[in-house]
Amino acid sequence: MQKLIIQGGFPLEGQISISGAKNAALPILCAALLTRESLVVDNVPDLQDITTMQSLLQQMGVNVTTPASSRIELCASHLTHLVAPYEMVKTMRAAILVLGPLLARAGEANISLPGGCAIGLRPVDQHIKGLQAMGADIAIKHGYIQAVAKKLRGARIVFDIVTVTGTENLMMAATLAEGITTLENAAREPEIVDLANCLRKMGAKIHGAGTDIITIEGVPVLHGGEYNVMPDRIETGTFLVAATATGGDIRLLNTSSNLLDAVLDKLTEAGAHIESAENWIHLHMTKKPQSINLRTAPYPAFPTDMQAQFMSLNCIADGTAIITETIFENRLMHVQELKRMNADIEVEGNAAIIHGIPKLDGAHVMATDLRASASLVIAGLTAQGETLIDRIYHLDRGYENIEGKLSALGARIRRTTSS
Ligand code: EPU
């Protein structure tokens, strides 16, 4: 199994380019199911989750090619197998995103229930409820969502909770439904706007993406097109936290500060100097970070996908901070690993109280999920001595060439396959 070895104590300095957003690319690849014509997607990150999604689409009969790096061409002219098997869904929950498009285009889908995952229960009841409101007949049998619908109908759907992939699934399904669908209490994440922009390029009629009411007027068919995926705001935020924690000076290219206002506000509060223009962000940190309280919530508030990274920053900040996780019920697993590095953290329910200490100690730690892994990398970069991070396959699901990018910024980091 692969591991990362980090020698801590070196500030990040220099510039790197940010990759395309994983959580925008995944639904956009699924949008290819909605048309017989070819969809070319650019700025796709090279990640394990993207490879899994490509395999999933291929086994459904989609012709997938990669004509150049970061570019994927998909053509779903003939769908042969309307199934997402358990083996794939269990490694990548985003596989649920094929449900809406398959049902809308082919009238049938058989998708394994994702089951629980490390960060929480993560049910998909809102996806199912919405498709039922649009006329789908759905049964859960043998662990699979078995859905049929001759023709989906537009409907008014009010989500009970804000769900990102739930909003994306129903928005895609509604593009080919008969009549008008309104999604209320919809998620407002930038990745939803990116998907809507791609669908619009394919001929969909969508208004209000980025607000909590999205209206979709169904059309008989969608056509192919070309689309460039937005930058990854969570990769961007992760590097910015790493630079803040190490007292660094970095410039991130091909990204945008507009995507992460809440994160930049917190980094400024921690003491970082940040400048930005249309497609770059520069961060400079000259002092010890100040501790910062935060509470995760749906966009535009502070993202749950940045919570773990800020935990590591608070571990070595001046003062005491409280971090409250409100989106997922089990997303504080990195705390146990950070404590192995001597961090002073108490957990009470869904909150962590972090008392900053001068330095973390390098240690052997284990990655438990994608963003928890990123927090351990940041902790390792700041720690005294060597940190060995095990189970980094989690990290490879969501960060393209992380050790290459960190090395380019002067980090002492290497990958090993030794036991
Ligand atoms: N939920 C339900 N019922 C549903 C759907 C969601 O109860 O039908 C609950 C979830 O259990 C959770 C909350 O609603 O407590 C929000 O979950 P959401 O559906 O928004 O999460 P998701 O769509 O499964 C996406 C990202 C996650 C990110 C969350 C929250 C993708 C592929 N994944 O997941 O990204 O944490 O939104 O912003 O877009 C990551 O990249 O590391 C990651 C986990």
Side-chain angles (χ1 to χ4, degrees):
M1 213 176 274
Q2 298 202 328
K3 304 167 200 299
L4 281 179
I5 298 177
I6 303 173
Q7 293 293 333
F10 301 93
L12 295 188
E13 279 164 3
Q15 68 176 28
I16 54 163
S17 186
I18 291 301
S19 302
K22 164 180 86 78
N23 290 346
L26 289 169
I28 287 171
L29 295 182
C30 295
L33 291 168
L34 290 163
T35 173
R36 290 180 167 276
E37 296 179 18
S38 126
L39 177 67
V40 178
V41 190
D42 275 309
N43 202 29
V44 181
D46 182 9
L47 299 171
Q48 191 50 52
D49 272 9
I50 298 292
T51 310
T52 308
M53 185 60 89
Q54 281 177 256
S55 309
L56 175 64
L57 295 171
Q58 266 167 332
Q59 66 89 45
M60 290 174 174
V62 181
N63 186 19
V64 183
T65 52
T66 45
S69 100
S70 315
R71 165 176 272 225
I72 299 185
E73 182 165 356
L74 309 106
C75 185
S77 52
H78 298 289
L79 294 171
T80 50
H81 191 61
L82 309 173
V83 179
Y86 179 59
E87 289 64 39
M88 282 178 174
V89 180
K90 77 174 181 203
T91 59
M92 186 193 59
R93 296 181 53 87
I96 190 72
L97 285 165
V98 299
L99 174 61
L102 275 186
L103 204 50
R105 161 93 187 281
E108 194 185 323
N110 209 346
I111 313 296
S112 169
L113 271 174
C117 85
I119 61 178
L121 286 173
R122 302 181 79 183
V124 289
D125 56 302
Q126 299 299 306
H127 305 233
I128 293 175
K129 178 184 116 167
L131 291 169
Q132 282 171 330
M134 295 170 79
D137 208 342
I138 301 186
I140 310 290
K141 280 194 192 145
H142 312 297
Y144 277 73
I145 304 167
Q146 300 185 347
V148 281
K150 256 202 179 134
K151 181 77 187 161
L152 291 175
R153 296 185 305 269
R156 175 177 173 234
I157 295 157
V158 183
F159 289 103
D160 298 340
I161 43 131
V162 178
T163 160
V164 176
T165 49
T167 302
E168 291 165 346
N169 230 339
L170 298 187
M171 186 165 76
M172 286 192 278
T175 57
L176 292 180
E178 216 168 71
I180 293 178
T181 301
T182 47
L183 304 177
E184 299 185 22
N185 196 24
R188 291 180 283 168
E189 269 65 4
E191 291 75 13
I192 288 172
V193 178
D194 213 37
L195 172 63
N197 287 341
C198 174
L199 292 168
R200 268 198 291 261
K201 269 197 139 178
M202 296 166 68
K205 293 189 177 164
I206 302 175
H207 300 280
T211 74
D212 60 359
I213 301 183
I214 305 178
T215 308
I216 307 111
E217 189 184 331
V219 293
V221 284
L222 292 181
H223 53 75
E226 266 197 58
Y227 195 74
N228 204 43
V229 174
M230 64 176 269
D232 196 311
R233 64 190 168 103
I234 306 300
E235 186 197 23
T236 304
T238 301
F239 279 104
L240 292 176
V241 175
T244 306
T246 57
D249 186 344
I250 65 168
R251 184 182 289 261
L252 303 179
L253 309 175
N254 300 323
T255 189
S256 165
S257 58
N258 297 333
L259 300 169
L260 62 181
D261 288 335
V263 169
L264 297 185
D265 281 355
K266 290 293 174 189
L267 289 172
T268 306
E269 207 179 310
H273 299 280
I274 301 172
E275 292 172 294
S276 61
E278 202 187 329
N279 63 350
W280 56 261
I281 304 176
H282 173 229
L283 180 144
H284 185 202
M285 183 73 178
T286 50
K287 52 188 176 200
K288 194 169 162 53
Q290 288 299 311
S291 64
I292 33 199
N293 297 321
L294 60 92
R295 185 180 181 85
T296 65
Y299 192 85
F302 190 90
T304 173
D305 289 344
M306 286 301 304
Q307 175 261 106
Q309 298 87 322
F310 272 79
M311 184 86 74
S312 295
L313 179 62
N314 271 323
C315 285
I316 50 144
D318 257 346
T320 293
I322 301 179
I323 289 186
T324 310
E325 171 60 48
T326 74
I327 305 289
F328 293 110
E329 62 272 29
N330 192 29
R331 214 178 195 181
L332 294 174
M333 282 172 303
H334 38 287
V335 168
Q336 282 312 318
E337 299 303 306
L338 291 170
K339 283 173 109 164
R340 303 197 67 255
M341 300 176 74
N342 224 12
D344 185 353
I345 311 176
E346 299 149 49
V347 172
E348 282 181 17
N350 65 344
I353 302 146
I354 310 113
H355 306 282
I357 58 170
K359 262 203 180 330
L360 291 169
D361 266 353
H364 187 157
V365 290
M366 196 169 75
T368 49
D369 75 70
L370 170 54
R371 307 306 171 186
S373 315
S375 79
L376 297 178
V377 171
I378 294 169
L381 291 171
T382 69
Q384 198 154 337
E386 184 175 285
T387 296
L388 188 149
I389 308 177
D390 226 327
R391 301 204 179 167
I392 54 162
Y393 56 86
H394 290 293
L395 206 54
D396 294 333
R397 288 188 44 218
Y399 289 93
E400 183 175 62
N401 186 21
I402 190 162
E403 73 271 28
K405 290 189 182 185
L406 284 170
S407 298
L409 295 174
R412 313 283 162 99
I413 181 169
R414 68 190 164 87
R415 189 178 283 248
T416 168
T417 43
S418 62
S419 55

